[in-house]
DNA sequence: GAATCGATGATCT
DNA sequence: GATCATCGATTCA
């Protein structure tokens, strides 16, 4: 396994980080000890107070506080009462920003992902397993207990009960670079091309 | 295959 | 009380 991405990777402009995350490997050790990994194929960049679609757009609140903190931590929240979304905090400490991980292509632990999703591993497509932020969190067994978990080595683990470990590794990006498109499922700032995808995969949401 | 719609709870006004 | 960075079941074709 190559060297994990370190905190300095995330301590940069949110859009730059989002672009460069496409193709990286996401490896998750669940609270149950199961290990799964996927290649990131779809992300969205959410900036701070100048991005109307961002949870940080109205300044610091109990929920958005994590986005203003140091980079390389998980921001996990519940949406529509039933789905979790995984974000990675970006920018320097004090500046808000995060990248939403919207889809991964399963690389290992496919059977465990299918079991967690309640699908038959034989007939489920990669897209069924982990395309879409809610599906992805389900397949990776991530819930809001993981909020605030460090995703990079060298930081003190927050030792949240019932959580595991997330690590990211450099990977092969798309040949022509990631493609920028409008973000999905939002109402504000829909003109911004801040969704980045690997166009060569069938494992995309939306 | 495309369109529609309900579930369900934290967050913010 | 309205909103929401979603998903899956259902309906119609």
């Amino acid at each position: 396994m190559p060297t994990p991405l370190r905190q300095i990777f995330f301590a940069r402009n949110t859009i730059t980080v989002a672009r460069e995350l496409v193709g990286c490997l996401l490896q998750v050790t669940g609270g149950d000890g199961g290990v799964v990994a996927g290649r990131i194929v779809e992300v969205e960049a959410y900036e701070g107070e100048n991005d109307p679609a961002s949870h940080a757009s109205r300044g610091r609140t109990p929920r958005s506080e994590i986005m203003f903190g140091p980079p390389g931590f998980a921001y996990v929240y519940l949406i529509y009462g039933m789905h979790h979304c995984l974000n990675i905090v970006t920018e320097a400490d004090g500046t808000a920003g995060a990248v939403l991980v919207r889809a991964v292509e399963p690389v290992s632990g496919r059977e465990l992902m299918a079991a967690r999703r309640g699908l038959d591993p034989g007939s489920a497509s990669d897209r069924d397993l982990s395309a879409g932020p809610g599906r992805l969190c389900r397949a990776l067994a991530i819930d809001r207990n993981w909020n605030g978990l460090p995703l990079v080595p060298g930081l003190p683990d927050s030792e949240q009960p019932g959580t595991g470990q997330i690590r990211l590794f450099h990977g092969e990006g798309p040949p022509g670079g990631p493609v920028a498109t409008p973000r999905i499922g939002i109402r504000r700032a829909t003109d911004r091309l801040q969704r980045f995808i690997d166009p060569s995969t069938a494992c995309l949401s939306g």
Side-chain angles (χ1 to χ4, degrees):
Chain A
M1 191 70 68
T3 311
L5 300 186
R6 303 192 71 84
Q7 190 171 31
I8 193 164
F9 178 91
F10 300 100
R12 297 181 293 159
N13 170 276
T14 303
I15 293 182
T16 301
V17 175
R19 290 187 63 93
E20 294 189 14
L21 275 175
V22 177
C24 288
L25 189 73
L26 179 67
Q27 181 190 296
V28 177
T29 306
D32 57 3
V35 182
V36 300
R39 182 174 171 275
I40 296 175
V41 294
E42 175 179 349
V43 299
E44 286 178 359
Y46 287 88
E47 302 172 285
E49 326 218 10
N50 66 343
D51 182 353
S54 171
H55 290 165
S57 64
R58 318 226 172 171
R60 293 181 186 248
T61 68
R63 179 172 69 165
S64 68
E65 181 66 26
I66 183 85
M67 288 181 68
F68 288 85
F73 287 80
Y75 168 39
V76 182
Y77 65 92
L78 184 66
I79 190 72
Y80 296 115
M82 54 179 80
H83 302 293
H84 297 277
C85 295
L86 170 67
N87 299 252
I88 305 170
V89 176
T90 58
E91 307 276 356
D93 191 2
T95 301
V99 175
L100 170 67
V101 185
R102 288 192 58 93
V104 300
E105 211 170 51
V107 170
S108 67
R110 204 178 182 288
E111 304 239 328
L112 181 54
M113 293 173 69
R116 288 167 171 168
R117 293 268 301 115
L119 301 170
D120 171 22
S123 56
S125 69
D126 287 354
R127 190 170 183 283
D128 293 332
L129 288 179
S130 56
R135 289 173 177 170
L136 178 151
C137 280
R138 190 73 181 272
L140 274 43
I142 292 169
D143 61 31
R144 62 190 183 287
N145 291 323
W146 297 54
N147 191 43
L149 196 73
L151 307 188
V152 295
L155 295 175
D157 279 331
S158 54
E159 299 294 344
Q160 309 257 31
T163 61
Q165 185 186 67
I166 305 180
R167 286 292 179 268
L168 293 129
F169 301 89
H170 283 289
E172 197 73 12
V179 173
T181 80
R183 292 176 291 187
I184 291 180
I186 59 172
R187 304 192 47 138
R188 298 190 283 200
T190 51
D191 56 318
R192 298 190 183 193
L193 304 181
Q194 294 184 189
R195 172 175 175 256
F196 300 99
I197 61 172
D198 177 346
S200 70
T201 181
C203 193
L204 296 175
S205 73

